[in-house]
Amino acid sequence: MPAPAEPTAPAEPASSAQAAGAAAAPDSPTLALACELIRRRSVTPEDDGCQPLLAARLEALGFAIEPMRFGEVDNLWARRGDQGPVFCFAGHTDVVPPGPIEAWSNDPFEPTLRDGLLYGRGACDMKGSLAAMITATERFVATHPDHRGSLAFLITSDEEGPARDGTRRVVKALSARDEPIDYALVGEPSSQTRLGDLIKNGRRGSLSGVLRVRGKQGHVAYPQLADNPIHRAAPAIAELCAETWDAGNAHFPPTSFQISNIHAGTGADNVIPGELELVFNLRFSTEQTPEALQQRITAILDRHELDYAIDWRVSGHPFLTPAGALVDATQTAIETVTGHPCELSTIGGTSDGRFIAPTGAQVVELGPINATIHKVDECVGVDELEQLSAVYEQTLRRLLGPDTTD
């Protein structure tokens, strides 16, 4: 998910009557669909009926609908056309838990309109984007029923969770039957201060490790009879934190190393612990590989003569979509609709684009302003949703319209 920008000041709460009345009569198809999606309590990995709702809209447009359930995860693959190039809208219906309900100004699963903003869990990440994708597609197909290539949707309910049985599995199934995606637009909330000021054309890789340094438990009064793993590991930890992994490149910042958790001891002040556990993560650029980073980390630990073990997990490799058909179409669409240019960026966390890009697809991420994602009183601008739908439609016109060529 992208790193959120600083949020704007929250608006004053509306009365329940105002909230219900505003949400009951939305004045645009995009807003109406976003409200319907927010009402479904699709906390990851639950879909709670979101995908059938979207599938019904797409089936009415002539899409072939293919539900794909893996484990406890619902996925949807929908395609209109049987020729290339294949343009795919990619997104997720699952949301993060709302947290304390009493902290919200309204029920997080009851869409509420207030001061031009739509409030609700998933309004920004990313049910608003899904609604904009559907309405953009409806308008595009109405004006271009015989569009070039194929138009597809890849929707999962496993993006906010482990991301094992969602997009990753769908892409694997598509690859197994030789059904490639040429262009993928992921609806993650990429914008910072205005819609379309930033789109993601790549992401850093993510390598995590759980380091266990073994010592010997004992009494703090007799340290000569024990071996303190905290003391032993401290110099190595300091070296890892100070290490310069690379300088990055024109598209990516330098690789970063961060410790996210550290634990040792029994809780007693008179016991030397027998083991230290440390959890860390590296966000790395195309200058690195997971294997090279693992080798450098173990070399540092070995130099300090530690007794240790590491469990590694690679949750994504870095990818980059350079200037080309998809990037150009998206940037042009943004400038046409908003009147402003946009920047390309690879900052932030990971997204499901990391599973699509390795197939050779061009991938970009474009969605609403991300100031309130995963927060209490998550919201999106109503006008922002309308603009986003228009940008998506313009992108389709430039890639699959009758006058375009590969």
Side-chain angles (χ1 to χ4, degrees):
M1 284 313 113
E6 288 300 314
T8 55
E12 290 299 317
S15 69
S16 58
Q18 289 173 321
D27 58 1
S28 83
T30 305
L31 178 59
L33 180 55
C35 289
E36 286 302 307
L37 292 169
I38 290 170
R39 287 191 180 96
R40 287 158 169 78
R41 298 173 180 261
S42 54
V43 176
T44 189
E46 296 299 324
D47 175 70
D48 198 29
C50 291
Q51 290 175 30
L53 174 64
L54 300 176
R57 298 281 284 260
L58 294 173
E59 190 171 25
L61 299 176
F63 280 75
I65 304 301
E66 185 177 358
M68 292 186 178
R69 184 172 176 87
F70 297 109
E72 297 182 352
V73 175
D74 289 308
N75 304 288
L76 173 66
W77 173 249
R79 177 168 173 170
R80 187 181 197 275
D82 56 8
Q83 302 295 318
V86 177
F87 176 96
C88 177
F89 280 121
H92 61 90
T93 54
D94 59 322
V95 298
V96 296
I101 303 298
E102 62 274 12
W104 285 71
S105 300
N106 51 272
D107 184 334
F109 295 104
E110 181 54 43
T112 304
L113 291 176
R114 190 166 65 245
D115 298 330
L117 298 173
L118 171 63
Y119 288 81
R121 177 55 88 219
C124 185
D125 186 14
M126 59 178 291
K127 292 180 175 181
S129 294
L130 292 174
M133 290 172 178
I134 293 292
T135 57
T137 298
E138 289 172 337
R139 293 192 306 273
F140 175 73
V141 170
T143 55
H144 300 290
D146 299 319
H147 59 77
R148 295 176 59 252
S150 297
L151 180 51
F153 277 73
L154 195 171
I155 309 297
T156 184
S157 62
D158 186 35
E159 198 276 344
E160 300 290 7
R164 287 192 296 263
D165 292 324
T167 301
R168 182 199 300 262
R169 293 286 298 272
V170 175
V171 168
K172 184 177 180 180
L174 295 176
S175 297
R177 66 194 196 197
D178 195 24
E179 189 171 357
I181 295 171
D182 296 288
Y183 310 120
L185 195 160
V186 185
E188 290 292 349
S190 62
S191 304
Q192 300 291 300
T193 59
R194 71 168 185 269
L195 179 71
D197 59 356
L198 202 69
I199 62 174
K200 305 292 179 65
N201 66 323
R203 290 283 192 161
R204 294 175 294 175
S206 178
L207 170 65
S208 296
V210 179
L211 168 66
R212 295 177 178 84
V213 179
R214 293 178 285 264
K216 184 178 180 181
Q217 185 173 312
H219 197 294
V220 296
Y222 303 96
Q224 72 277 14
L225 301 178
D227 183 3
N228 194 320
I230 301 175
H231 293 187
R232 279 199 174 274
I237 293 171
E239 186 173 342
L240 288 169
C241 292
E243 182 77 1
T244 298
W245 305 96
D246 55 60
N249 56 35
H251 303 288
F252 291 91
T255 295
S256 66
F257 174 91
Q258 288 293 313
I259 295 171
S260 57
N261 196 6
I262 188 167
H263 174 76
T266 63
D269 63 3
N270 61 352
V271 178
I272 293 171
E275 183 174 275
L276 166 72
E277 181 178 282
L278 181 145
V279 182
F280 62 89
N281 178 268
L282 295 102
R283 294 302 167 100
F284 61 97
S285 72
T286 49
E287 297 294 310
Q288 296 286 355
T289 65
E291 294 76 18
L293 290 170
Q294 290 174 20
Q295 290 173 5
R296 289 177 62 179
I297 289 171
T298 56
I300 291 172
L301 299 175
D302 290 342
R303 189 161 58 248
H304 288 273
E305 299 182 345
L306 300 180
D307 181 9
Y308 70 92
I310 303 181
D311 295 326
W312 299 101
R313 183 172 71 90
V314 179
S315 58
H317 292 267
F319 70 88
L320 180 71
T321 296
L326 180 58
V327 168
D328 294 348
T330 308
Q331 287 186 304
T332 302
I334 290 169
E335 189 159 5
T336 298
V337 173
T338 70
H340 298 286
C342 77
E343 296 181 10
L344 301 177
S345 175
T346 60
I347 64 171
T350 59
S351 79
D352 274 3
R354 70 191 188 272
F355 304 128
I356 303 172
T359 68
Q362 297 179 39
V363 178
V364 299
E365 299 173 25
L366 169 61
I369 297 170
N370 57 26
T372 61
I373 60 174
H374 292 205
K375 295 182 179 180
V376 167
D377 284 350
E378 178 182 351
C379 61
V380 65
V382 174
D383 291 342
E384 192 181 348
L385 288 181
E386 294 305 313
Q387 280 195 317
L388 183 60
S389 181
V391 170
Y392 287 162
E393 182 186 4
Q394 287 293 323
T395 304
L396 285 175
R397 289 177 181 273
R398 281 162 173 77
L399 290 170
L400 299 184
D403 299 327
T404 57
T405 58
D406 289 337

